[in-house]
Amino acid sequence: MHDFAFNRPQPGKWQSALLAAGMHLLLGLLLFYSVRWQTSKPAAVQVELVSALPPIQAPARTAPPPKPVVQPPPKPVVEPPPPPAPKPDIAIKEPPKPKPVPKVEPKPEPRSEPKPKPVEKPPEPKVEPKPKPRPEPPPPDTRREQASQDRMLQEALARESAQMAQREAAREAEMMARVAAEGARLKAVQTWADRISARVRNNLVLPPGASGNPEALVSIALLPDGSVVGEPRMKRSTGNAALDTAILRAIVKSSPLPKPDDPSAFQRNVDLIFRPLEQ
Amino acid sequence: MNITEDLSIISLILNASLLVKLVMGLLIGISFMSWYWIFRKSFALRDARNRTDKFELEFWSGGDLNALFQSAANDRHNASGMERIFEAGYREFTKLRARQNIDTATAVDGARRAMRATYQRELDELESHTAFLASTGSVSPYIGLFGTVWGIMNAFRGLANVGQATLSQVAPGIAEALVATAIGLFAAIPAVVAYNRFAHDIDRISIRWESFMEEFSNILQRQAR
């Protein structure tokens, strides 16, 4: 018998395996690079995120510092941190106080711009004679309020304005950088808001009798992972109590809310304008 | 389910459910094997064609049959199908001729049967694994379809849990599921094309071998006189 068929050499075994592997690699690469579907959601106009806007306007940052000059009590808590690390402090302050902007803006600028650094030194020597230069500011503040001595007050004012100038300068630089990223960030915030409201809408059980196009302003506290902290608060009611509770319930039920695509758009406190009945 | 989602092929595959992943894995395996055999068969067929050409040229150039037989027998591991057929027929013929009481017709018949057997074996060798290509071509779209149907079922089941259904909630699931069908088609199309091609090539080679067998029997018959 001539069973050569079974022990004859088999050419091209490895060659074929390699070619087949190459073929699939090619196919995979082709797929990977050519198939990139992007579903971009059309910008739905149902929701705006209110608190996202202020931080971009520079004045918002000046808002907190000037107040303390007039009202010493709250200051001690806020003041000590700023001089060493102005940036983070400012960043934290941004979102919560958007409105005082216009009133405060005019004052700080005239004061601060003429004397950006020279002013910074005088306060320090004056403070040095006292035992504790930096940690002390809180106590002097309260004491000064009680005694209302002129000298100390002026000293505090000078120091205040120096800090203000410093802060102003830092703020100015930071603002320039931020304004550039502003457009992209706004967009990210908007899509994020759209996604949040879409999620909430899915969980919303509409009470009977709701009609028209009511609008609610809800304040939500978020963790970075999107989960809702505590109870969301209704800042502006829709006018329908049942609808309000339904919205709040829907928000709690939607936790964790979607995260923004751009992590920088994330904020801890979010004011959401929500129109539950709008289609 | 996020409303905005990047659907790169990788994320589609990774997000698919377990069964769909299994189906995809199976299909990729099948596709790999089918390409492997496509390459191997095409090499083997090209080789067989070239050697048949060469041997035919040698045979019909009028050389000595004994010399030809010797070279075929010595190089049998490397011989082509046609060479083996020739070798088997000639060997049988000379064996039968050596016996005294056997007439020519019987000897030629014996040689022909030996050639027929070798021919069958060679043809079987050529045809091996083409059935795999055929079944890949016919079955893998169905496997892919199965994965897709399963994936879409899951997508819709997920949809049932959501109060307000939008297209964007189902779309990623369906896209995910459709990848399985895509892979099935990727595996099937080349397999079908290659199978048809190979079947045709094998037919042609087998016809050449068959006609050679007939012609060679005639030569043996003439020689026996």
Side-chain angles (χ1 to χ4, degrees):
Chain A
M1 296 313 286
H2 316 285
D3 274 358
F4 311 130
F6 304 103
N7 52 18
R8 71 176 60 165
Q10 308 263 350
K13 233 178 193 173
W14 291 109
Q15 214 175 347
S16 321
L18 279 180
L19 276 171
M23 198 70 206
H24 283 83
L25 210 71
L26 204 78
L27 213 73
L29 284 180
L30 206 78
L31 271 181
F32 184 70
Y33 283 109
S34 63
V35 184
R36 280 262 165 100
W37 298 297
Q38 218 105 43
T39 54
S40 57
K41 205 205 165 203
V45 208
Q46 297 155 341
V47 189
E48 298 118 44
L49 204 61
V50 172
S51 68
L53 304 180
I56 296 140
Q57 298 164 346
R61 263 163 253 160
T62 33
K67 266 187 184 171
V69 184
V70 196
Q71 300 168 329
K75 190 166 52 174
V77 189
V78 194
E79 249 220 312
K87 277 184 191 173
D89 188 31
I90 287 163
I92 296 166
K93 277 178 209 164
E94 290 162 24
K97 295 180 185 174
K99 284 187 180 174
V101 175
K103 299 171 199 167
V104 196
E105 241 265 82
K107 281 182 193 173
E109 275 187 307
R111 262 190 234 160
S112 55
E113 278 174 29
K115 18 178 180 174
K117 280 189 179 176
V119 192
E120 208 199 337
K121 281 174 187 172
E124 276 180 1
K126 282 174 196 170
V127 187
E128 272 172 43
K130 289 167 193 170
K132 294 167 192 169
R134 287 233 168 144
E136 261 233 286
D141 273 354
T142 47
R143 214 185 303 152
R144 179 220 311 152
E145 205 205 7
Q146 292 156 356
S148 74
Q149 292 174 353
D150 280 0
R151 217 183 70 94
M152 282 186 69
L153 190 71
Q154 273 191 348
E155 187 188 305
L157 271 177
R159 194 175 35 187
E160 199 68 39
S161 69
Q163 283 174 353
M164 291 259 298
Q166 212 178 359
R167 231 173 285 166
E168 189 82 9
R171 172 174 69 81
E172 212 84 30
E174 198 186 350
M175 193 181 83
M176 295 304 285
R178 285 215 180 184
V179 163
E182 170 186 334
R185 208 186 135 180
L186 250 180
K187 212 174 169 186
V189 167
Q190 187 55 43
T191 55
W192 182 34
D194 288 345
R195 285 165 55 190
I196 291 182
S197 67
R199 171 83 63 88
V200 171
R201 196 178 301 277
N202 284 335
N203 287 324
L204 182 65
V205 182
L206 282 175
S211 65
N213 186 11
E215 183 182 299
L217 179 61
V218 193
S219 160
I220 309 169
L222 291 179
L223 287 182
D225 72 339
S227 49
V228 177
V229 183
E231 292 284 313
R233 277 184 309 112
M234 186 64 74
K235 274 191 172 172
R236 194 163 67 230
S237 163
T238 55
N240 180 340
L243 189 53
D244 286 354
T245 49
I247 291 172
L248 294 181
R249 208 173 298 143
I251 290 171
V252 172
K253 198 176 165 194
S254 312
S255 175
L257 294 170
K259 283 178 276 189
D261 293 329
D262 176 8
S264 71
F266 178 81
Q267 293 167 58
R268 286 190 165 273
N269 292 303
V270 170
D271 285 354
L272 188 71
I273 291 187
F274 189 65
R275 299 190 185 90
L277 295 185
E278 194 174 66
Q279 287 306 318
Chain B
M1 212 178 290
N2 285 342
I3 288 172
T4 313
E5 222 166 349
D6 285 356
L7 300 181
S8 82
I9 200 86
I10 301 282
S11 69
L12 279 184
I13 292 175
L14 290 185
N15 287 338
S17 66
L18 180 68
L19 191 101
V20 178
K21 270 183 196 157
L22 281 179
V23 166
M24 286 182 198
L26 181 70
L27 283 174
I28 287 171
I30 288 177
S31 169
F32 184 86
M33 283 315 291
S34 88
W35 274 103
Y36 173 73
W37 283 115
I38 287 172
F39 283 120
R40 264 194 78 174
K41 280 282 120 181
S42 71
F43 289 151
L45 282 176
R46 202 174 51 194
D47 191 54
R49 218 167 27 233
N50 288 343
R51 282 166 185 237
T52 306
D53 285 349
K54 209 174 116 205
F55 182 76
E56 256 182 346
L57 202 70
E58 243 176 280
F59 185 79
W60 294 114
S61 63
D64 181 18
L65 284 185
N66 264 320
L68 214 54
F69 171 73
Q70 282 309 324
S71 82
N74 289 339
D75 196 21
R76 62 169 56 152
H77 286 299
N78 232 348
S80 76
M82 202 185 244
E83 229 169 336
R84 286 204 185 94
I85 293 171
F86 163 77
E87 185 206 334
Y90 197 73
R91 185 191 297 271
E92 188 66 22
F93 183 71
T94 46
K95 271 184 195 162
L96 289 174
R97 278 286 303 279
R99 299 191 182 181
Q100 298 301 324
N101 54 350
I102 283 182
D103 67 339
T104 319
T106 323
V108 171
D109 265 355
R112 190 175 246 178
R113 273 194 298 273
M115 283 196 287
R116 171 68 51 182
T118 313
Y119 164 79
Q120 302 280 15
R121 216 152 30 223
E122 292 297 320
L123 200 61
D124 176 66
E125 169 70 15
L126 269 191
E127 274 176 345
S128 65
H129 299 289
T130 53
F132 175 75
L133 290 180
S135 50
T136 297
S138 55
V139 166
S140 66
Y142 293 118
I143 300 178
L145 195 64
F146 171 65
T148 297
V149 167
W150 191 266
I152 289 182
M153 270 162 60
N154 275 344
F156 279 120
R157 211 180 51 198
L159 193 65
N161 299 332
V162 185
Q164 206 170 16
T166 56
L167 190 60
S168 50
Q169 282 162 334
V170 224
I174 293 179
E176 241 166 64
L178 286 176
V179 171
T181 303
I183 297 178
L185 291 178
F186 276 131
I189 293 170
V192 171
V193 171
Y195 176 75
N196 288 336
R197 174 83 215 252
F198 292 161
H200 176 69
D201 284 357
I202 290 170
D203 258 2
R204 290 187 59 192
I205 290 178
S206 73
I207 286 172
R208 281 170 78 178
W209 288 351
E210 234 163 331
S211 44
F212 169 79
M213 277 158 51
E214 300 301 320
E215 284 163 340
F216 186 51
S217 319
N218 279 344
I219 290 175
L220 289 179
Q221 193 137 32
R222 256 182 278 138
Q223 243 192 6
R225 302 248 152 97

